[in-house]
Amino acid sequence: YVRMSSQGYEYVKPKRKKKKKRNLRAASNFTAPPLLPASYKNDDDDRSLVILGEDTRSRVTTTNRYPYSTIMELDYGGGQGGCTATVVSRKAALTAGHCVFEGGQFFNIARGVPGRDDGSEPFGSWAVDYMTTFETWKADEPRNYDVAVIVFQANADGKYPGDVVGAMGMGRPTLNKLEPTTVTGYPVDK
């Protein structure tokens, strides 16, 4: 993985002495299984976005209630949002890699705002402590590594996002077939 501080500094992993061989693979040798076929191509300039079936999308107006309270808009400064992150633990939120790094640069995310609705910020906001994404995403930006985790600082009351809005957590999907799914996020087009 690669990590960037909120001040724009990239963490460098210290070199470690070789350890005796173990049965477990070292984390640095870990390669995530591909989530999409290697032939998958998703260039934003040449894609068409479509709704399959009837467009049943609607604006969520209960962003101050769980589970929608756990969905935050990432603010890139001056109220300028554009990416979604989901609170998955007390301090951390899961987002897309392209929301923190793309085109050879890390983005300066000013804050995360859970439950934001049309300018309303019912829970306040949290400053970024650091962001982590795959080294593979940083090097080549393949869409099957387009994942990042953002860790937030405590607010003025010493609380983290998960303390205030709850957390969705993470689990292993158990679906054997494609079933109806609800996807919620920012920016809003409805």
Side-chain angles (χ1 to χ4, degrees):
Y1 65 88
V2 62
R3 184 171 288 168
M4 176 65 81
S5 75
S6 60
Q7 293 82 27
Y9 296 103
E10 188 172 328
Y11 290 91
V12 177
K13 291 185 229 174
K15 292 187 178 186
R16 298 181 184 184
K17 294 181 181 178
K18 271 193 163 180
K19 292 186 177 184
K20 292 181 182 179
K21 195 170 185 178
R22 298 176 132 186
N23 291 336
L24 299 174
R25 271 192 305 186
S28 62
N29 295 335
F30 175 76
T31 301
L35 302 176
L36 298 168
S39 61
Y40 178 76
K41 184 175 184 229
N42 185 7
D43 292 332
D44 291 340
D45 297 333
D46 65 0
R47 67 184 180 144
S48 295
L49 302 177
V50 296
I51 303 294
L52 300 176
E54 183 183 348
D55 184 359
T56 59
R57 297 176 301 154
S58 62
R59 185 179 187 102
V60 174
T61 58
T62 55
T63 61
N64 61 339
R65 287 189 266 171
Y66 187 88
Y68 302 109
S69 61
T70 66
I71 300 168
M72 44 170 57
E73 185 171 21
L74 300 178
D75 186 335
Y76 293 89
Q80 180 65 36
C83 269
T84 300
T86 302
V87 180
V88 293
S89 73
R90 182 175 185 230
K91 298 179 181 182
L94 186 67
T95 190
H98 69 261
C99 292
V100 301
F101 180 92
E102 194 168 44
Q105 67 179 18
F106 275 95
F107 297 123
N108 182 18
I109 299 172
R111 61 198 184 120
V113 186
R116 181 184 264 173
D117 181 29
D118 213 16
S120 168
E121 298 179 3
F123 306 104
S125 64
W126 280 264
V128 172
D129 191 7
Y130 59 88
M131 305 171 288
T132 305
T133 191
F134 286 107
E135 286 181 8
T136 303
W137 175 255
K138 185 180 176 218
D140 300 319
E141 297 180 13
R143 293 292 179 194
N144 53 334
Y145 286 86
D146 190 6
V147 177
V149 174
I150 301 173
V151 174
F152 293 93
Q153 299 171 12
N155 64 12
D157 298 328
K159 294 184 177 181
Y160 293 95
D163 297 334
V164 176
V165 301
M168 292 291 269
M170 294 177 61
R172 183 181 204 169
T174 58
L175 301 176
N176 293 325
K177 61 181 180 176
L178 185 62
E179 294 187 12
T181 303
T182 299
V183 179
T184 305
Y186 299 95
V188 178
D189 72 344
K190 272 233 172 194

